[in-house]
Amino acid sequence: MAAGRPSLQQLVYFLAAVEHRSFAAAAHTLYIAQPSLSDQVRRLETTLGVTLFIRTNRQLQLTDAGRMLVPWAEKVLRDVEDLTAAVRDVRELAGGTVSFGTFSSAHLYLLPALTAEFGRRHPDVSIRVQGLNSSEVADAVRSGDLEAGLVQLPIDDRGLWVSRPVLTDTVVYVSAEPSRTAAPVDVEQLSTRRLILSEARWTRDDPLRRSLTERAQRAGVALHPSVEVEFQTAAVELAAYGVGDSLVSYLVTQWSGFPANLRWVRLEPVFEEHFAFVTRPGGSLSPATRAFMDLAEQHIRALQAKADAGRTG
């Protein structure tokens, strides 16, 4: 406690003396020696620069300053009790809020089962998960709007701590026309197809878009998507209607809502996607967010077995 400020102990002793009208009775109730209690009350008076009690032979009487201090001291101690209870609830996951971000397609194959299990384990914890794109999530974590996130690499990692990759998936080509998925598809073939690409707002920052552009440039061709949409789900639905063909993460093809008339095939060469957790360097995570990340890792390990099929299928 800084000099010149009352301590919580002094306020406790003061209120006990107020309640019992006697230093001796207050000390007995608190199981301390009377001189210790009396000394702390005198220190409180010295700190505040006022007399709090008029000491008589029969009992303690409050001064005007003492009467004014009573509600303030009670409020301070109530606030401390409330703070302690709130922190205890968060520590024990009887409260608090998960603050986490993900790329949009994680809502298809990771978040439903993860969020449902976390909710069953910790029903009193609020869950806030947001994010449309890995770059957006990285920016939100960097600015402190989110505590942590799961992103596709590479990202701008300035001001971030990036974990080792926790999931490796592959990009696959999907089409409603069976003849187009009879064999792996290379970038030259992609340049001749009617493509539907997602991440319309994030063309420059999306890892897949950047890598495809680099592959096309090396092959001396150009990719010109016929349709651009925001979400992979929209691209998948349009492909199912025969509007064009698309590129999605293999795990998206394992989504329960993936259209039955779409077939997939690997790209040639294989395009791998690597995903990692991001937090702020040195920033402590709340117990709720830490527990959510720990459970996410368990679910991701199970997903990895599915994702491995995308590299060998």
Side-chain angles (χ1 to χ4, degrees):
M1 180 66 64
R5 297 179 183 176
S7 69
L8 294 178
Q9 183 187 64
Q10 289 169 351
L11 295 179
V12 169
Y13 289 0
F14 165 72
L15 289 176
V18 170
E19 179 181 358
H20 295 283
R21 298 289 182 175
S22 162
F23 287 154
H28 178 75
T29 301
L30 296 174
Y31 300 101
I32 61 173
Q34 178 181 335
S36 296
L37 186 142
S38 301
D39 179 64
Q40 288 300 318
V41 171
R42 281 193 296 269
R43 289 174 182 267
L44 177 61
E45 290 177 320
T46 299
T47 297
L48 297 176
V50 295
T51 299
L52 299 173
F53 294 104
I54 297 174
R55 296 156 175 83
T56 69
N57 291 332
R58 298 183 60 185
Q59 64 179 12
L60 298 174
Q61 295 182 359
L62 284 169
T63 64
D64 289 342
R67 281 189 289 274
M68 186 180 70
L69 179 60
V70 169
W72 285 98
E74 290 174 339
K75 180 180 184 303
V76 167
L77 295 180
R78 280 197 307 271
D79 288 345
V80 170
E81 289 177 359
D82 290 345
L83 181 151
T84 302
V87 171
R88 182 177 59 249
D89 285 347
V90 171
R91 185 183 67 244
E92 297 173 355
L93 292 184
T97 300
V98 172
S99 174
F100 195 76
T102 68
F103 49 94
S104 61
S105 58
H107 295 261
L108 303 179
Y109 55 80
L110 172 63
L111 286 179
L114 168 61
T115 305
E117 182 175 353
F118 188 88
R120 288 193 297 270
R121 291 187 180 190
H122 310 292
D124 297 322
V125 176
S126 300
I127 304 173
R128 173 176 169 249
V129 180
Q130 67 182 59
L132 300 177
N133 176 275
S134 292
S135 294
E136 181 185 55
V137 171
D139 288 341
V141 173
R142 189 170 16 246
S143 68
D145 289 338
L146 292 173
E147 288 188 53
L150 178 66
V151 300
Q152 182 182 346
L153 303 176
I155 56 163
D156 177 2
D157 61 3
R158 290 175 296 178
L160 294 173
W161 174 83
V162 182
S163 76
R164 60 173 179 78
V166 294
L167 175 65
T168 299
D169 198 2
T170 53
V171 175
V172 296
Y173 178 86
V174 297
S175 176
E177 174 54 54
S179 64
R180 294 179 184 167
T181 56
V185 176
D186 60 27
V187 72
E188 288 87 351
Q189 291 170 304
L190 287 179
S191 69
T192 66
R193 305 282 173 89
R194 182 175 174 82
L195 287 180
I196 307 165
L197 295 183
S198 59
E199 309 292 352
R201 279 195 299 157
W202 306 94
T203 302
R204 295 181 180 179
D205 297 318
D206 181 62
L208 174 59
R209 291 287 200 111
R210 292 203 309 266
S211 297
L212 285 175
T213 299
E214 293 169 1
R215 284 191 181 191
Q217 289 173 344
R218 288 195 297 269
V221 298
L223 296 180
H224 299 291
S226 299
V227 180
E228 293 185 276
V229 293
E230 196 66 69
F231 304 113
Q232 285 195 10
T233 48
V236 164
E237 290 169 358
L238 290 173
Y241 275 102
V243 175
D245 302 335
S246 191
L247 300 170
V248 301
S249 300
Y250 171 77
L251 285 173
V252 172
T253 70
Q254 304 304 295
W255 163 46
S256 61
F258 190 76
N261 69 320
L262 287 183
R263 299 293 182 268
W264 65 268
V265 69
R266 290 183 289 112
L267 294 182
E268 183 62 45
V270 171
F271 182 91
E272 289 188 342
E273 299 177 303
H274 302 282
F275 300 87
F277 291 118
V278 293
T279 62
R280 280 171 289 166
S284 60
L285 297 177
S286 68
T289 299
R290 169 56 64 191
F292 190 82
M293 287 178 64
D294 290 343
L295 186 60
E297 285 198 81
Q298 296 178 31
H299 280 253
I300 288 169
R301 283 195 293 271
L303 285 172
Q304 187 64 67
K306 290 185 178 181
D308 290 342
R311 292 201 293 272
T312 60

